[in-house]
Amino acid sequence: MTVQFPSLAQELATEVKALRKWLDDDALPLWWEVGAAKPDGGFYERIGQDAKPIFADNRRARVQPRQAYCFAAAGQKGWSGPWQQALSHGLSWFHAVYRLDNGLYGNLADQTGKLIDPSFDLYNQAFALFAAAQASAAIPDRRDEMRARALEILTILKRDYKHPVAGFEEANPPRSPLCSNPHMHLFEAMLAWEAEDPAGPWSQLADEIGNLAMQRFIDADNGGLREFFDHDWKPYPGDKGRIMEPGHQFEWAWLLVRWGSLRDNGEAIAKAKRMFDIGEDHGICARRKVAIMSLYDDFSVHDGLARLWPQTEWLKAAVRLASITTGEERQRYLASGIRAIGALQPFLDTPVKGLWFDKWPADKPMIDEPAPASTFYHIACAIYEAEDVLAASV
């Protein structure tokens, strides 16, 4: 009798199926029933490990569209809960509370819905654009509304914050350092809008950011992606300019594979593979088997803290690279995806199912603290990406 062992793809699919069940049965209901501030609107910043919301937190603008994305994506993927209500609950409060007179969005509100920090952050505008794309995809009747909102944001960004070389400023008047991270999420948003509205201006900006990443963000010598830059898009002076985050090596790899595949750009895919190698070879703690926060540009450890979100980006990059490769190379990425899920599991091992821990120090146990809502976007995106890629490649 021959014993049949499951393939790596089957093993990975089984693990992803279990994550999807956790998402549908535990996380989505909990983050709507407990994580949504009712009846006022919006979502809480954190839920305690006792499944009670933290009422006193001020609320960052980015959390609202990120949570709205989670529920819009859940609706698209067949979740039977009140996803349309949750989507509207987040986006309406976001628009009412954070929208400024200039058409962009402020940064921070208190728990009553009073805007207490109206300052510009490119990161927040990126998520406003991204959530609008997901809402458009999930609810076709809102497509024109969401498209008009996204076009307005993009027009204002280009008018008031355009960098003279490429990308965008961090402030007006300009200040340094410039950052790759918000551009990563703009890149993600542009690819989402490109799928929704192929004739729109989104592809042009996606190409601009993709090329900026390859020419300036990614180091020409070692292939790693940096975080901070001076105004000429050169590495920021001192240690700050040397920082390379494993989670962002994975996240940019995921995006560049998607973009490179759409544009038939082999250079983008080659750079993505190199970034993945850096994240996997240098950014995984040998003892804890989890992706850590940051390296220096010589790949020595800068910050050995492990957070939940880099584990999800590791999974996304691994499955996407597996989808464009064959043979032993594909098997390697599938195996890496299984390890990424293994790295994610300790963070999800909470007293109440549907929550998560966020931080695991290098020399201490996992920190027992409230679960941040902002992490939900990473988890949901990773599960849906893994499902879609595996289904398409079977």
Side-chain angles (χ1 to χ4, degrees):
M1 178 180 175
T2 302
V3 177
Q4 295 292 323
F5 293 99
S7 69
L8 287 175
Q10 290 170 327
E11 185 179 347
L12 183 55
T14 298
E15 296 285 353
V16 172
K17 185 177 181 180
L19 285 175
R20 175 64 188 271
K21 187 176 190 306
W22 170 90
L23 179 65
D24 285 353
D25 295 351
D26 301 311
L28 285 162
L30 181 62
W31 285 90
W32 169 241
E33 292 162 11
V34 177
K38 307 184 189 85
D40 301 333
F43 293 96
Y44 295 115
E45 275 279 326
R46 297 181 298 164
I47 296 178
Q49 296 299 333
D50 59 357
K52 295 179 181 178
I54 309 300
F55 295 104
D57 286 341
N58 292 326
R59 299 192 211 165
R60 294 170 294 167
R62 68 190 61 180
V63 167
Q64 308 307 319
R66 283 164 79 123
Q67 294 297 84
Y69 154 81
C70 292
F71 288 101
Q76 274 195 297
K77 300 299 182 182
W79 184 58
S80 59
W83 64 270
Q84 292 198 43
Q85 185 182 353
L87 168 63
S88 297
H89 185 86
L91 283 188
S92 60
W93 202 77
F94 175 62
H95 197 61
V97 170
Y98 298 93
R99 191 174 187 275
L100 306 172
D101 291 342
N102 68 0
L104 297 181
Y105 293 86
N107 190 47
L108 190 69
D110 68 15
Q111 63 271 30
T112 71
K114 177 184 177 182
L115 189 65
I116 57 176
D117 177 7
S119 63
F120 172 81
D121 190 329
L122 184 59
Y123 195 99
N124 294 329
Q125 320 314 315
F127 274 101
L129 286 161
F130 182 62
Q134 193 64 47
S136 172
I139 307 178
D141 287 349
R142 297 192 69 177
R143 185 176 183 276
D144 290 345
E145 172 200 354
M146 292 296 125
R147 183 178 184 275
R149 187 178 297 185
L151 286 171
E152 181 184 22
I153 295 168
L154 195 57
T155 298
I156 298 164
L157 287 177
K158 289 179 176 179
R159 184 190 70 200
D160 295 343
Y161 292 93
K162 195 75 182 71
H163 187 278
V165 174
F168 295 93
E169 304 282 2
E170 288 292 315
N172 186 358
R175 69 162 187 260
S176 296
L178 300 177
C179 303
S180 57
N181 189 19
H183 287 82
M184 180 180 69
H185 291 297
L186 274 176
F187 194 26
E188 181 180 24
M190 292 305 99
L191 292 177
W193 268 113
E194 179 181 314
E196 269 298 287
D197 180 28
W202 328 105
S203 299
Q204 182 179 358
L205 182 54
D207 292 350
E208 180 181 322
I209 295 172
N211 286 311
L212 179 63
M214 293 203 298
Q215 295 164 11
R216 301 299 181 97
F217 298 166
I218 298 171
D219 186 271
D221 295 324
N222 69 23
L225 183 129
R226 298 181 190 272
E227 298 292 325
F228 302 106
F229 303 85
D230 68 15
H231 198 255
D232 295 321
W233 287 122
K234 294 177 181 177
Y236 198 70
D239 283 351
K240 197 175 186 73
R242 297 183 58 205
I243 291 173
M244 294 180 169
E245 296 189 8
H248 287 157
Q249 310 306 309
F250 292 134
E251 199 164 1
W252 274 102
W254 171 65
L255 288 165
L256 283 179
V257 170
R258 291 174 57 198
W259 177 68
S261 298
L262 289 167
R263 304 295 191 267
D264 195 22
N265 186 328
E267 181 186 3
I269 292 171
K271 287 183 180 294
K273 289 180 176 180
R274 173 58 183 156
M275 284 191 291
F276 186 89
D277 288 348
I278 291 168
E280 193 176 48
D281 293 345
H282 303 284
I284 308 299
C285 174
R287 179 177 59 83
R288 291 170 292 165
K289 312 297 185 188
V290 291
I292 63 171
M293 275 308 295
S294 55
L295 307 169
Y296 287 113
D297 56 5
D298 63 359
F299 305 143
S300 61
V301 174
H302 169 257
D303 184 355
L305 174 74
R307 294 188 62 192
L308 186 156
W309 71 262
Q311 323 312 319
T312 67
E313 303 309 322
W314 178 7
L315 174 59
K316 286 159 60 178
V319 296
R320 182 61 68 160
L321 282 162
S323 75
I324 63 157
T325 51
T326 59
E328 290 185 7
E329 188 178 19
R330 180 173 186 264
Q331 295 303 301
R332 176 218 159 179
Y333 290 124
L334 290 171
S336 190
I338 293 169
R339 290 195 299 275
I341 291 179
L344 180 60
Q345 295 295 352
F347 294 91
L348 303 184
D349 186 15
T350 52
V352 176
K353 292 179 72 173
L355 296 174
W356 42 83
F357 298 118
D358 183 55
K359 301 183 185 74
W360 189 356
D363 56 353
K364 297 176 184 176
M366 190 81 72
I367 297 176
D368 185 354
E369 62 182 353
S374 55
T375 307
F376 202 9
Y377 145 80
H378 289 282
I379 299 171
C381 187
I383 293 170
Y384 294 139
E385 171 72 358
E387 270 191 338
D388 289 349
V389 169
L390 289 169
S393 60
V394 169

